[in-house]
Amino acid sequence: MRFSVPDKNRCACAPGWYDKYCGLRGCMPPNEDHVNIDLRSLIIVFNTKTSMKSQMTKDANGVYDNWIESFIVYGFVNVQSQLIVQSKFMYSADDVVNFLNSFTLYDGDDTQPVITAVQAAQQTFPKQRSHATVLVFTDSPSSDATPWSHRFTDQNPEQLVLQISLLWKSRYTFFLSLPAGTDYTSNGVDVYRRLALTNHGDTFFIQDINDFTKVLLSVIGSQYYSENVAVAYGKTDDETLTTYVDNEGDIVYFLITIDPSTSKFYQFSKFQAILILESTLPTMAGVNLYADGPSYRVSILKVSYILSAKFQLYTRPSKIGDTVTISNTPGSKYNYRMFLQSKRTLMIFYNDDMYIDVGNGMPVIGVGMSATMQTYNFPDFESSSYELRTFDGRFLREKIYSYVRPQLDCTFLYGFPSWDSGNCPPGPATSVHVFYYNGYKQQRVSTAYCITSNHNPQDTYFHNILKSPQDIYSMAREKHELQMVNEISQDDVLQCKERSIDAINDPRLKEAKQLIFILEQHMDNAQIYKTLAKEINQIIYLTNATNADTFDWEFTLISHDSAESHVILSAYNPIDFGEKFQKFVTNLQLLNNLDNTMGLLSIVQAQKITLRPTAQVYYFTNQAVKTVQNVARTWDIVSRNMEVNFITIADGVTTEIFALPKELELIQKMTNGRIIPITKTETTLLPLFGDMIGVTALTTDNEQYVSQFQTSKIFQQTIIQNCHDTPLVINGFFEDGADYSVVQVVGTGLKTFQMQDSNGAIVGVTDYITYQNPNFVSMRVDKSKFASGVWKISALTATGGCQITVRHRTTVGMLLGFTSSNTDDATVTSQIITQRSKLDSLPLYAAMKVTDGIIPTNLEIRELSLKRVLEMITKFPEIVNRKRYDQPQSYTNSTVIQRDSNSCTYNLLSESIVVPKNELTTWTVTAYNTAGKLLLHRIFYYYQHLPSDASVCHGGETDKFGRCICPYMYTGEYCWDRLCVPPAT
């Protein structure tokens, strides 16, 4: 969808679009490799008829390729209604020439499906870049052209090709060597003119091979980073243009062409024909002729060289504010483009909702249209504006000024207020963009297309069936309150009012499908990053990410320093990701004395760009980094869609191996993540990743950090232990049926660690160690050799506290969520349970879905009191922050009952429970089979705002139950999910 390029089971998206099928439109942090406009594609669409032979070997010669990352050659010909295609994706101009020389030519039909070929050339190769230059070569009218229509729901080939160019920002140039007697008014020819003017491209009428060569070398060869400053098509009067340059003395180009609708071919003999122009080319004074032909003239404002014969192109050195006049002959019709060679460009998209990040290039007539914009390589400007003009330059709409959008982490930083599109005539339009600096301006133009639609704001869905969109919210709220009052007794079989369809195949029930690497740009991490780059392809190989038919994973790279965080790269193709990862990480700028970072923003970005939950995040941080900057948002809302693991790199000074900024500690716990201390000279990380990728089922998490034996008023006669005077001994939970188990132990100077299975058999830990350093050990246990159930595990350290965790790789997936009604299947599965603190005893239910037919029997809630922790830290300052997670107190146990599985996706439900008034709580779900074997033991951590915090809600309001009150057209727990007006999705 969205004119993406199919790639196995995935789609390569146009800039700004995301997701498996390119359907996400909400704010996402920019995938910087995806929107890198410095490297582009050159696409050659060649009609492989025998009559085109003379043009075949010239196509790539003389074209600058320093701006081209890739080439696409798409040869096509229709022979007696049979389409023959010869196409290839390449990376060098030499390969292009060789491929063109290998073409087989055919005696094709008189008309050819040219427009369909232009579409196919841009929808075949998923590695193509945006902002492509598309060169189309044919000597035939287009057989698939239809009358010009501005209702894009007609979906004819011309409209499809236009929409591709509007999304992918490609530009079309047509080289037409049409036979004598061709009717230029026919749709088969006029379609080329229409596409060129809509696309801000060009049409050249070729007479012979010399004409063709000079156009290709002089005109196309001079357009590598071609940025249009002013355009108009079908002009009949004089035009005075103001020049805009990036720097004084830059070359400004003027390309003038004759409108082809005023041209006719006349044939004198079987072998000789001539193009007779009913219009004549305008003239320009004060510019230098660069090249011209019978149907075009190009001028520049700085003399480079002058070609003789029939071709002219003008140049002149220029500065901002110069003016140049195009003088036309009365009765003649012409087109012009004024352009620069510049990397300063922009992307703008139109939409009807500023909470949507990306739209398209088509304002819908009759709908209030906003716009989002992103600029590239421009110096910081004071303000910017855009206005709309018709394709021939007539004024359509006054200037509208941009503003910085309030949403952070959007691909498109700037927004424009809504305007009434009712006065926009159907068809092509031009957006004129002005950037204001201190004392001067810069200008660009971009394409637009005002379309009519089969749908409008008077759609009967909202205006006949419902009185207003707010009714959706009101009806949902009334239904919810009714369920709370009319709950079915738990003595009966519980049935749900409406089944949760999304949860049936929730991806979180299966293994992780996305790896996200967050790299802190600390100089002392250099060796670790070198090791990571060296092994990245082997690490990716552990995921089994692709086969002949599918791409199953997503891979992301994020980096940050003390000022910024960037999503450098996100890709579904593991080979592409590995190659680019090595390049980016090798060139990553690392900084000394980095002790305060934008790590929280990186985590927020990771959460937003999680496309394949559950994502496993690997955050590399140096222990020298003591603080992370708040990002002016509720950073503690962490989605259940990701697991954040912190790999802490020793700085040689910090002795506390668990040292993390407190915000990161909380995130690690809430997401069931890991803390893994490593040295800064590790030469391999592959075994460590082998024990983490896909191993997400947390069954055991015990910590002990206090270092005193103390009698205190808070704990009365509490014995406070550490891990170095006596070993920490815990119960470790090993599920029956797991593929394997990973036991990880963290402690300063690990001395001994021992394990004993549920039958008392001693486990030889040294036989299962996969990765070890002085403060950390990871063991992968082959459970087929030992009994499942409750094991005994112990650890002894040289000093301080320690942590022991057990995780499984298993096919058994589980979702835990919450609802306020025992008949409600619309279950909240995000981080914050619900904000229940405004009423003391408001119950809720824990709803569960477990795969493989496993039925949990017990739910335990344990409280982790931050207040108590703060009291302890005040009393004992040497205790680290992680004491907040040490030895939680049991709060309550609840039995789990079954609901009707036909009407409830979450078919398992706890008793009515009251959540303890603690910020952080632990929820443990357990299941045994009839033989007493442990089938399930899963741990989840949840955070609550106390008191309830309206700032987490889009709209900033909560009701008496602490639930967010959603504004118009929004839904979801925090009201960030957009409701679409049908038929939009």
Side-chain angles (χ1 to χ4, degrees):
M1 62 186 299
R2 310 296 181 189
F3 298 96
S4 54
V5 183
D7 193 8
K8 294 186 181 179
N9 65 324
R10 295 292 300 268
C11 294
C13 304
W17 294 86
Y18 299 92
D19 199 20
K20 183 176 182 179
Y21 302 120
C22 307
L24 291 182
R25 304 179 68 189
C27 264
M28 298 277 280
N31 177 354
E32 295 185 3
D33 178 70
H34 187 220
V35 295
N36 179 7
I37 54 85
D38 287 347
L39 295 174
R40 308 180 182 188
S41 292
L42 176 64
I43 302 175
I44 297 173
V45 182
F46 196 92
N47 199 178
T48 52
K49 293 173 64 176
T50 305
S51 54
M52 294 288 291
K53 182 177 182 179
S54 62
Q55 299 180 26
M56 192 167 57
T57 60
K58 303 291 184 181
D59 289 347
N61 291 327
V63 177
Y64 294 105
D65 64 355
N66 61 318
W67 57 275
I68 303 173
E69 183 188 67
S70 59
F71 298 84
I72 294 172
V73 176
Y74 188 90
F76 73 100
V77 64
N78 211 54
V79 181
Q80 297 180 354
S81 300
Q82 179 183 358
L83 181 64
I84 301 171
V85 174
Q86 303 168 75
S87 62
K88 191 175 183 179
F89 181 89
M90 292 157 282
Y91 285 106
S92 77
D94 290 339
D95 289 341
V96 172
V97 173
N98 293 334
F99 184 62
L100 289 170
N101 287 332
S102 71
F103 268 171
T104 300
L105 302 183
Y106 300 86
D107 293 329
D109 301 341
D110 291 339
T111 61
Q112 294 286 315
V114 179
I115 307 306
T116 300
V118 173
Q119 177 187 355
Q122 299 175 88
Q123 299 265 272
T124 301
F125 299 101
K127 292 184 180 181
Q128 74 177 41
R129 285 287 190 174
S130 65
H131 294 75
T133 295
V134 182
L135 308 180
V136 184
F137 302 88
T138 186
D139 62 1
S140 302
S142 185
S143 61
D144 48 6
T146 56
W148 204 1
S149 168
H150 309 303
R151 186 180 296 275
F152 272 46
T153 50
D154 293 344
Q155 295 291 293
N156 60 51
E158 178 181 0
Q159 294 168 347
L160 298 178
V161 165
L162 285 177
Q163 290 182 73
I164 291 172
S165 73
L166 292 170
L167 287 173
W168 285 86
K169 305 303 180 184
S170 51
R171 181 176 299 150
Y172 302 142
T173 300
F174 294 93
F175 295 81
L176 306 177
S177 48
L178 300 172
T182 299
D183 181 3
Y184 278 71
T185 64
S186 69
N187 286 307
V189 177
D190 192 51
V191 68
Y192 303 131
R193 175 190 69 87
R194 302 192 304 245
L195 284 170
L197 72 87
T198 300
N199 186 250
H200 292 176
D202 305 301
T203 305
F204 296 100
F205 294 87
I206 306 303
Q207 286 187 302
D208 53 37
I209 187 59
N210 292 326
D211 188 11
F212 171 72
T213 301
K214 291 175 181 177
V215 173
L216 192 64
L217 297 182
S218 301
V219 182
I220 303 304
S222 66
Q223 299 188 54
Y224 33 101
Y225 287 108
S226 176
E227 279 295 307
N228 286 332
V229 178
V231 299
Y233 294 82
K235 294 289 293 183
T236 57
D237 53 357
D238 296 349
E239 185 89 350
T240 298
L241 302 174
T242 300
T243 62
Y244 295 93
V245 293
D246 292 348
N247 301 288
E248 187 169 338
D250 284 354
I251 296 174
V252 179
Y253 292 79
F254 300 88
L255 174 58
I256 302 176
T257 57
I258 290 295
D259 192 313
S261 65
T262 64
S263 309
K264 290 183 179 179
F265 264 111
Y266 288 90
Q267 186 164 3
F268 295 107
S269 68
K270 181 178 181 181
F271 304 102
Q272 186 178 12
I274 188 169
L275 178 66
I276 303 297
L277 304 176
E278 296 183 358
S279 293
T280 58
L281 284 166
T283 60
M284 298 182 68
V287 294
N288 304 294
L289 185 61
Y290 187 78
D292 77 343
S295 63
Y296 72 91
R297 180 177 293 133
V298 185
S299 307
I300 59 178
L301 291 181
K302 180 178 181 180
V303 175
S304 176
Y305 57 86
I306 298 177
L307 295 175
S308 59
K310 300 178 181 178
F311 297 90
Q312 300 171 343
L313 187 62
Y314 297 115
T315 65
R316 187 184 78 185
S318 184
K319 62 182 180 180
I320 295 174
D322 283 350
T323 58
V324 177
T325 299
I326 302 174
S327 301
N328 192 34
T329 303
S332 294
K333 186 182 291 187
Y334 68 97
N335 316 309
Y336 73 80
R337 280 201 301 122
M338 179 170 69
F339 61 91
L340 303 171
Q341 306 296 358
S342 174
K343 291 186 178 181
R344 296 179 185 176
T345 190
L346 61 90
M347 288 195 290
I348 185 170
F349 289 103
Y350 301 95
N351 53 62
D352 61 354
D353 181 352
M354 287 310 296
Y355 284 97
I356 292 176
D357 198 20
V358 61
N360 52 50
M362 301 180 295
V364 180
I365 297 172
V367 176
M369 299 303 299
S370 304
T372 55
M373 179 184 73
Q374 182 59 36
T375 60
Y376 300 91
N377 302 317
F378 280 92
D380 291 340
F381 45 86
E382 295 177 353
S383 62
S384 71
S385 66
Y386 87 100
E387 65 184 48
L388 273 187
R389 294 183 175 271
T390 61
F391 64 83
D392 58 359
R394 289 176 289 119
F395 180 81
L396 274 180
R397 199 215 59 218
E398 72 284 350
K399 290 182 179 179
I400 293 180
Y401 288 84
S402 67
Y403 59 89
V404 177
R405 302 171 68 196
Q407 304 100 309
L408 300 179
D409 306 322
C410 294
T411 299
F412 297 89
L413 177 62
Y414 300 98
F416 293 91
S418 179
W419 57 280
D420 183 2
S421 61
N423 63 344
C424 187
T430 296
S431 296
V432 181
H433 304 266
V434 180
F435 300 93
Y436 302 91
Y437 297 88
N438 184 19
Y440 69 98
K441 298 182 291 186
Q442 289 190 344
Q443 181 172 297
R444 294 291 188 270
V445 294
S446 64
T447 56
Y449 204 106
C450 293
I451 63 168
T452 58
S453 172
N454 292 332
H455 308 280
N456 55 52
Q458 283 70 46
D459 190 283
T460 56
Y461 180 87
F462 280 134
H463 292 270
N464 293 341
I465 299 176
L466 299 174
K467 293 183 179 179
S468 70
Q470 289 97 326
D471 289 339
I472 295 177
Y473 175 79
S474 299
M475 291 173 64
R477 178 61 70 194
E478 290 171 5
K479 178 181 177 181
H480 181 74
E481 301 295 347
L482 184 63
Q483 288 176 351
M484 292 185 65
V485 174
N486 299 312
E487 290 182 350
I488 301 173
S489 168
Q490 291 191 9
D491 294 333
D492 302 322
V493 177
L494 290 171
Q495 295 184 338
C496 295
K497 302 293 186 181
E498 184 176 351
R499 188 171 188 181
S500 174
I501 301 300
D502 291 340
I504 294 175
N505 293 310
D506 193 305
R508 294 173 297 178
L509 291 166
K510 301 177 182 179
E511 68 173 335
K513 288 293 186 180
Q514 184 167 358
L515 300 185
I516 301 177
F517 299 87
I518 298 179
L519 305 188
E520 176 186 87
Q521 293 172 231
H522 195 290
M523 180 61 73
D524 285 348
N525 300 351
Q527 177 58 46
I528 295 300
Y529 295 163
K530 182 178 179 180
T531 300
L532 186 61
K534 179 186 69 175
E535 296 185 328
I536 188 62
N537 288 315
Q538 294 169 278
I539 292 171
I540 292 173
Y541 183 77
L542 296 172
T543 65
N544 296 315
T546 185
N547 56 44
D549 302 314
T550 63
F551 290 113
D552 293 330
W553 284 67
E554 189 83 15
F555 305 93
T556 304
L557 172 62
I558 302 174
S559 73
H560 63 263
D561 56 19
S562 60
E564 297 178 319
S565 176
H566 297 273
V567 179
I568 299 175
L569 169 66
S570 193
Y572 59 82
N573 186 315
I575 296 175
D576 288 352
F577 181 82
E579 292 174 352
K580 292 179 179 180
F581 183 97
Q582 290 176 329
K583 180 182 71 174
F584 288 130
V585 172
T586 300
N587 296 319
L588 191 64
Q589 182 180 6
L590 303 180
L591 305 173
N592 290 312
N593 303 318
L594 186 66
D595 60 358
N596 184 7
T597 74
M598 296 298 292
L600 283 176
L601 180 56
S602 288
I603 290 173
V604 171
Q605 290 176 331
Q607 180 169 304
K608 282 198 164 191
I609 208 162
T610 293
L611 303 178
R612 305 295 304 274
T614 300
Q616 288 190 290
V617 180
Y618 301 104
Y619 183 125
F620 288 79
T621 179
N622 196 281
Q623 288 185 339
V625 176
K626 305 301 183 185
T627 58
V628 289
Q629 298 180 37
N630 205 328
V631 291
R633 64 178 68 209
T634 46
W635 53 265
D636 48 12
I637 299 179
V638 182
S639 170
R640 305 303 297 186
N641 289 343
M642 64 182 187
E643 168 197 280
V644 185
N645 304 286
F646 292 91
I647 294 90
T648 61
I649 302 168
D651 63 354
V653 178
T654 305
T655 58
E656 173 51 59
I657 60 168
F658 300 100
L660 267 181
K662 62 182 181 180
E663 298 90 346
L664 302 186
E665 286 185 8
L666 185 58
I667 287 171
Q668 175 260 324
K669 209 66 179 180
M670 288 191 297
T671 63
N672 284 12
R674 303 165 174 85
I675 289 185
I676 298 177
I678 62 175
T679 69
K680 65 180 181 180
T681 58
E682 304 283 350
T683 58
T684 182
L685 298 170
L686 185 61
L688 178 59
F689 278 94
D691 282 354
M692 292 191 293
I693 292 176
V695 184
T696 57
L698 180 64
T699 66
T700 306
D701 186 9
N702 288 73
E703 306 178 354
Q704 184 163 278
Y705 291 97
V706 185
S707 57
Q708 297 190 27
F709 180 87
Q710 180 77 28
T711 301
S712 73
K713 294 180 180 179
I714 301 172
F715 298 94
Q716 297 179 358
Q717 297 295 325
T718 299
I719 297 177
I720 306 173
Q721 297 177 330
N722 54 47
C723 295
H724 67 263
D725 290 327
T726 58
L728 169 65
V729 181
I730 67 163
N731 289 331
F733 296 88
F734 288 74
E735 295 177 357
D736 190 66
D739 296 342
Y740 57 83
S741 303
V742 174
V743 181
Q744 293 179 327
V745 184
V746 181
T748 303
L750 286 174
K751 297 174 71 173
T752 61
F753 34 89
Q754 299 175 343
M755 292 191 294
Q756 181 177 308
D757 76 2
S758 59
N759 287 338
I762 302 300
V763 179
V765 294
T766 57
D767 297 334
Y768 299 101
I769 294 176
T770 55
Y771 185 89
Q772 185 175 15
N773 64 45
N775 303 317
F776 173 79
V777 64
S778 184
M779 296 165 280
R780 181 187 294 195
V781 180
D782 180 358
K783 282 187 53 278
S784 65
K785 298 179 180 180
F786 301 96
S788 60
V790 182
W791 290 25
K792 291 295 181 183
I793 307 176
S794 67
L796 182 68
T797 66
T799 184
C802 60
Q803 177 197 52
I804 301 173
T805 62
V806 180
R807 288 177 171 85
H808 297 319
R809 184 179 181 94
T810 175
T811 60
V812 178
M814 177 180 171
L815 294 177
L816 174 64
F818 305 93
T819 179
S820 56
S821 166
N822 62 3
T823 61
D824 190 355
D825 205 30
T827 302
V828 172
T829 61
S830 55
Q831 176 58 54
I832 299 176
I833 303 166
T834 46
Q835 301 189 78
R836 298 290 176 176
S837 57
K838 287 192 174 182
L839 295 178
D840 286 336
S841 301
L842 186 68
L844 55 77
Y845 301 88
M848 290 158 267
K849 176 178 172 60
V850 183
T851 64
D852 293 27
I854 293 176
I855 308 298
T857 54
N858 184 70
L859 168 68
E860 181 187 19
I861 308 173
R862 296 167 72 87
E863 60 177 317
L864 300 164
S865 172
L866 296 189
K867 179 179 179 182
R868 183 179 176 191
V869 171
L870 292 174
E871 290 174 342
M872 280 205 63
I873 293 174
T874 302
K875 182 74 175 179
F876 307 125
E878 71 279 9
I879 298 175
V880 298
N881 287 339
R882 293 190 63 80
K883 174 59 192 172
R884 68 176 73 178
Y885 313 129
D886 187 21
Q887 301 174 349
Q889 305 270 321
S890 181
Y891 175 78
T892 187
N893 277 276
S894 169
T895 57
V896 177
I897 63 172
Q898 297 185 56
R899 297 194 294 185
D900 174 44
S901 59
N902 292 320
S903 62
C904 306
T905 301
Y906 292 90
N907 63 319
L908 303 163
L909 197 73
S910 73
E911 301 170 291
S912 176
I913 53 180
V914 177
V915 181
K917 285 206 165 188
N918 296 90
E919 287 91 338
L920 199 65
T921 53
T922 306
W923 302 64
T924 305
V925 181
T926 306
Y928 289 88
N929 65 10
T930 54
K933 286 190 174 183
L934 180 66
L935 301 181
L936 188 80
H937 188 86
R938 299 293 169 86
I939 297 174
F940 303 87
Y941 294 94
Y942 285 93
Y943 179 83
Q944 298 181 99
H945 283 283
L946 297 175
S948 67
D949 182 3
S951 71
V952 304
C953 309
H954 174 209
E957 294 184 76
T958 56
D959 65 10
K960 65 181 180 180
F961 303 114
R963 297 173 301 195
C964 295
I965 298 175
C966 295
Y968 173 78
M969 294 300 290
Y970 286 88
T971 186
E973 186 183 6
Y974 309 116
C975 305
W976 286 105
D977 299 328
R978 177 73 169 134
L979 290 171
C980 291
V981 178
T985 59

